[in-house]
Amino acid sequence: MNKSQDEIGHEAKLPWDMPRFHNWVAVGKVSQLVKRALGERLARVGLDLPHYDILAVIFRFPGLTQQELADKLLVGRSNLSMLLPELERRGLVRRDADDSDKRVRRLTLTVEGEAQAREGLAAQVSLIEYMMGALTDEECETVGRLMRKVGQRLAEDPSARPPSK
């Protein structure tokens, strides 16, 4: 049987012929282009994407814990275990003991860390303004609304949850 036919002999639809598939591929390509362009802009101010992500979140939420940071970045705490000490050594981040629980460390930016975060944010905003300048304000709102809708559906996906014990 021809691979492009299903078991009954009907022409099977190949994924790249399906609007949802090729539209999603376009989203994926834009995501990769954004990462590349943002990485290049951040490199000009002395940052890479993982370090910038950490600095930007701590800048927005000063005093959060390492677990809270991991949750906001959608990574495990172990993913941060090598990055945070490096940012500390560079004098960009401080990990201070929590006043009520000395086992908990609160993350804050140093003056230099805040300056780096601001430079990174400026680079990101510049890219967003350039990229989204291809759309009208209404189109931009539509893209955001639709991506939030898709993201919500994905967040509710029961197959993405860990199995119950």
Side-chain angles (χ1 to χ4, degrees), residues 29-135:
K29 284 181 180 180
V30 168
S31 176
Q32 292 302 314
L33 289 168
V34 168
K35 283 181 187 176
R36 182 186 314 154
L38 182 56
E40 290 168 2
R41 287 171 186 243
L42 290 172
R44 292 183 210 141
V45 297
L47 290 171
D48 61 20
L49 195 51
H51 289 143
Y52 166 67
D53 283 342
I54 291 169
L55 295 178
V57 171
I58 297 172
F59 181 71
R60 184 166 182 200
F61 303 100
L64 78 172
T65 66
Q66 188 169 324
Q67 182 60 57
E68 292 166 335
L69 175 63
D71 292 345
K72 291 194 181 305
L73 293 173
L74 303 175
V75 299
R77 250 181 40 180
S78 61
N79 291 53
L80 300 173
S81 64
M82 301 214 16
L83 296 170
L84 282 172
E86 186 178 333
L87 290 171
E88 274 185 302
R89 278 191 301 278
R90 290 175 55 189
L92 302 176
V93 171
R94 283 193 346 256
R95 289 191 279 187
D96 301 316
D98 183 89
D99 292 336
S100 60
D101 185 348
K102 298 300 179 201
R103 296 169 297 173
V104 174
R105 299 282 178 223
R106 298 279 169 190
L107 304 170
T108 56
L109 298 179
T110 64
V111 171
E112 178 62 28
E114 184 176 327
Q116 284 273 278
R118 286 181 184 277
E119 286 186 63
L121 283 165
Q124 184 176 26
V125 167
S126 169
L127 175 60
I128 291 168
E129 288 298 324
Y130 173 75
M131 173 179 72
M132 298 306 277
L135 305 175

